[in-house]
Amino acid sequence: AQSVTQLGSHVSVSEGALVLLRCNYSSSVPPYLFWYVQYPNQGLQLLLKYTSAATLVKGINGFEAEFKKSETSFHLTKPSAHMSDAAEYFCAVSGPKSGGFKTIFGAGTRLFVKA
Amino acid sequence: KAGVTQTPRYLIKTRGQQVTLSCSPISGHRSVSWYQQTPGQGLQFLFEYFSETQRNKGNFPGRFSGRQFSNSRSEMNVSTLELGDSALYLCASSASGENTGELFFGEGSRLTVL
């Protein structure tokens, strides 16, 4: 079975500060891991994905995440927060099922950016 | 290339009614998944369709159903609506041959049940 735990339902940072959103996963098979972002009244948009190539994955808008198998973690970081980063972020794990894939999402972390 | 299109974007229904939501995937995408998003439960997987067949199903009652047409467009239906069905319903498509589960989402259909 697969599961995803996001630590912290709300994170608040100042503009220009480091963003760190935490995600731990559980998977019985090598996982595919994703971070998605959701802006108000919109669907989810892919930020980045890990597919067993490089463990440090770079995504859009300056975000990156590092896959750490020993810690079963896939934390999302950005060196300097911008006001436009305020949104909800979802970590997700995907694995094969019934010829396709089943994707499980974490509960989400809402990021607030203070001026 | 057009993205995933969901209609309607907003709708209001009353308890006991039924509703049908539509999703047009990205051209060439044959897999369509549906998710329910609520503040309390987060994103919950409803079902996935591929080539007109339901391939995976989540833990929702039989009031929730779906189908996929030969052009990969998909509909989901909720019968005998309950207040708890108020949610944002998201559709996502996946590229044919894509082997990681990456999803492309529509903007959702926000259902309010009164």
Side-chain angles (χ1 to χ4, degrees):
Chain A
Q2 296 178 312
S3 66
V4 176
T5 302
Q6 290 184 241
L7 300 176
S9 58
H10 297 84
V11 169
S12 182
V13 300
S14 297
E15 191 173 22
L18 171 72
V19 176
L20 170 60
L21 304 182
R22 300 178 186 274
C23 172
N24 289 89
Y25 71 91
S26 172
S27 178
S28 57
V29 297
Y32 296 124
L33 295 162
F34 306 82
W35 277 99
Y36 289 87
V37 61
Q38 184 179 34
Y39 298 101
N41 297 315
Q42 293 187 25
L44 279 68
Q45 175 185 353
L46 181 70
L47 270 179
L48 50 80
K49 65 179 179 181
Y50 166 77
T51 58
S52 75
T55 56
L56 181 62
V57 182
K58 294 187 184 299
I60 62 173
N61 302 337
F63 284 93
E64 61 182 38
E66 185 172 8
F67 172 70
K68 292 187 176 180
K69 184 178 179 180
S70 61
E71 299 178 8
T72 60
S73 68
F74 191 57
H75 302 330
L76 181 70
T77 60
K78 182 175 180 178
S80 177
H82 191 272
M83 297 296 288
S84 62
D85 294 327
E88 188 151 23
Y89 292 80
F90 293 91
C91 182
V93 61
S94 175
K97 184 174 181 182
S98 304
F101 284 84
K102 186 172 180 180
T103 301
I104 304 297
F105 288 85
T109 298
R110 186 166 295 278
L111 176 66
F112 297 92
V113 182
K114 299 174 291 185
Chain B
K1 203 174 200 180
V4 177
T5 303
Q6 291 189 244
T7 57
R9 288 291 314 279
Y10 302 91
L11 65 167
I12 300 173
K13 295 285 187 178
T14 57
R15 281 181 298 175
Q17 288 187 311
Q18 74 163 7
V19 64
T20 298
L21 309 177
S22 178
C23 172
S24 293
I26 291 172
S27 178
H29 288 194
R30 293 166 60 191
S31 169
V32 173
S33 300
W34 288 89
Y35 288 82
Q36 181 195 65
Q37 185 178 24
T38 59
Q41 299 297 318
L43 280 154
Q44 301 289 313
F45 173 74
L46 281 156
F47 26 65
E48 183 220 357
Y49 286 87
F50 181 82
S51 292
E52 302 179 63
T53 301
Q54 187 181 87
R55 190 160 61 176
N56 286 297
K57 189 177 187 304
N59 297 322
F60 278 80
R63 299 185 299 106
F64 291 82
S65 63
R67 60 179 175 168
Q68 187 179 33
F69 302 94
S70 59
N71 62 357
S72 294
R73 189 178 71 86
S74 177
E75 289 181 347
M76 66 163 284
N77 184 77
V78 188
S79 62
T80 320
L81 283 166
E82 301 176 358
L83 296 179
D85 297 333
S86 294
L88 180 66
Y89 290 88
L90 291 165
C91 168
S93 68
S94 294
S96 302
E98 205 277 339
N99 62 355
T100 66
E102 178 179 346
L103 298 171
F104 294 82
F105 283 86
E107 293 190 313
S109 293
R110 184 167 296 280
L111 170 65
T112 301
V113 182
L114 302 176

